[in-house]
């Protein structure tokens, strides 16, 4: 058990809808990362937060947004969903944001299916 | 240029044999960390092993060891005495001190252990 909690585990929704994915990092970890893993594109970095502030942005679509709350949990909001958004979405946490020797600890992921 | 290259999309190994999964990396930073993750068919991403750029000894964690060749910029994962439960995708990753918080992942190698 990595200590990172993601909910829900599975999500099935229709095109055009909006969903929210939730993540609680490991105790003591201040950094939260979001990744998208689809079959044809591997593991894609979306966005990173450190102690409530956005630190880095990857290939995140404008229809997607995220935030990290004062209690350090994070939410990833996906709107105007398209079929191509179907993927496994991971949250990961890390102790710091500049410690190159700190691993990422991943949650079990949310499998999103858009129909 | 790709930061992390895994050239073996699929590998097979006989149960109880050892197997080496290749990973090469590209960085001009002196301070960096190298990581391996395992993703079984159930989907979770499991942190396996870490090697720091200044570590003189190869990292080991149980049946996992990392063959670190700094001059060649390679960080191969060696799994000894393979078990059926080792069948999974394996991802190599790097974190550079200069890049602060960015993780770079390879495209993964699918390992199948044959009974």
């Amino acid at each position: 058990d990595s200590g990172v909690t993601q909910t829900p585990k599975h999500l099935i929704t229709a095109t055009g809808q909006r969903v929210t994915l939730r993540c609680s990092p490991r105790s003591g970890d201040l950094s939260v990362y979001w990744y998208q893993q689809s079959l044809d594109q591997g593991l894609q970095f979306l966005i990173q937060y450190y102690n409530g502030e956005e630190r880095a942005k990857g290939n995140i679509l404008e229809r997607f947004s995220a935030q990290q709350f004062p209690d350090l949990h994070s939410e990833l909001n996906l709107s105007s969903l398209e079929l191509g958004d179907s993927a496994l979405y991971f949250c990961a946490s890390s102790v710091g944001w500049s410690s190159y020797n700190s691993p990422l600890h991943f949650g079990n992921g949310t499998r999103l299916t858009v129909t | 240029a790709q930061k992390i290259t895994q050239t073996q999309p699929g590998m097979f190994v006989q149960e109880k044999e050892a197997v080496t999964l290749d990973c090469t990396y590209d960085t001009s930073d002196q301070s960096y960390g190298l990581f391996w993750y395992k993703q079984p068919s159930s989907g979770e991403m499991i942190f396996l092993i870490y090697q720091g750029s200044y570590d003189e000894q190869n990292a080991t964690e149980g049946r996992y060891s990392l063959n670190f060749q700094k001059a060649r910029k390679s960080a191969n994962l060696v799994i000894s005495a393979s078990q059926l439960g080792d069948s999974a995708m394996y991802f190599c990753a790097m974190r550079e001190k200069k890049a602060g918080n960015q993780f770079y992942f390879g495209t993964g190698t699918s390992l199948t252990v044959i009974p």
Side-chain angles (χ1 to χ4, degrees):
Chain A
D1 183 3
S2 69
V4 179
T5 304
Q6 279 190 256
T7 56
K9 192 168 183 176
H10 300 278
L11 203 47
I12 302 174
T13 189
T15 55
Q17 295 298 306
R18 173 189 168 95
V19 297
T20 297
L21 313 183
R22 185 189 167 99
C23 169
S24 292
R26 284 192 332 159
S27 177
D29 285 358
L30 300 179
S31 277
V32 168
Y33 300 70
W34 286 97
Y35 285 86
Q36 178 193 57
Q37 187 182 37
S38 48
L39 283 174
D40 58 347
Q41 293 205 355
L43 204 61
Q44 297 291 319
F45 168 64
L46 295 178
I47 197 163
Q48 186 233 346
Y49 283 84
Y50 175 77
N51 205 18
E53 293 189 10
E54 183 186 304
R55 286 291 184 178
K57 231 172 185 177
N59 301 322
I60 188 166
L61 300 171
E62 284 190 11
R63 300 182 286 109
F64 297 179
S65 65
Q67 54 185 325
Q68 187 180 28
F69 295 87
D71 67 352
L72 300 179
H73 91 271
S74 179
E75 293 181 356
L76 178 67
N77 300 296
L78 315 176
S79 61
S80 303
L81 285 166
E82 302 175 359
L83 295 177
D85 297 328
S86 295
L88 186 55
Y89 290 84
F90 283 110
C91 168
S93 73
S94 180
V95 171
W97 73 278
S98 62
S99 304
Y100 65 90
N101 56 357
S102 296
L104 284 181
H105 296 276
F106 284 81
N108 288 337
T110 294
R111 187 167 296 280
L112 173 67
T113 304
V114 183
T115 62
Chain B
Q2 293 278 8
K3 284 285 188 180
I4 296 287
T5 302
Q6 294 180 256
T7 57
Q8 307 153 313
M11 290 279 286
F12 293 86
V13 64
Q14 205 74 38
E15 195 177 4
K16 298 179 187 175
E17 297 291 313
V19 63
T20 298
L21 307 185
D22 294 342
C23 172
T24 57
Y25 59 92
D26 181 28
T27 183
S28 59
D29 202 343
Q30 297 302 308
S31 304
Y32 54 89
L34 297 156
F35 307 83
W36 277 92
Y37 288 84
K38 172 185 178 181
Q39 186 177 35
S41 58
S42 49
E44 68 269 30
M45 290 282 282
I46 303 165
F47 165 61
L48 294 178
I49 194 168
Y50 160 79
Q51 178 86 42
S53 59
Y54 296 108
D55 295 341
E56 295 185 354
Q57 302 280 340
N58 286 338
T60 59
E61 288 287 346
R63 294 185 299 110
Y64 303 109
S65 61
L66 203 153
N67 185 359
F68 181 46
Q69 297 185 46
K70 195 169 181 176
R72 295 181 59 190
K73 293 188 176 176
S74 77
N76 298 339
L77 178 71
V78 180
I79 305 174
S80 62
S82 296
Q83 302 172 356
L84 295 179
D86 294 334
S87 294
M89 281 289 288
Y90 289 82
F91 292 92
C92 179
M94 177 176 67
R95 194 176 195 184
E96 298 168 307
K97 184 177 182 181
K98 268 193 314 193
N101 43 39
Q102 182 67 283
F103 268 82
Y104 302 97
F105 282 87
T107 52
T109 294
S110 176
L111 177 66
T112 302
V113 180
I114 304 165

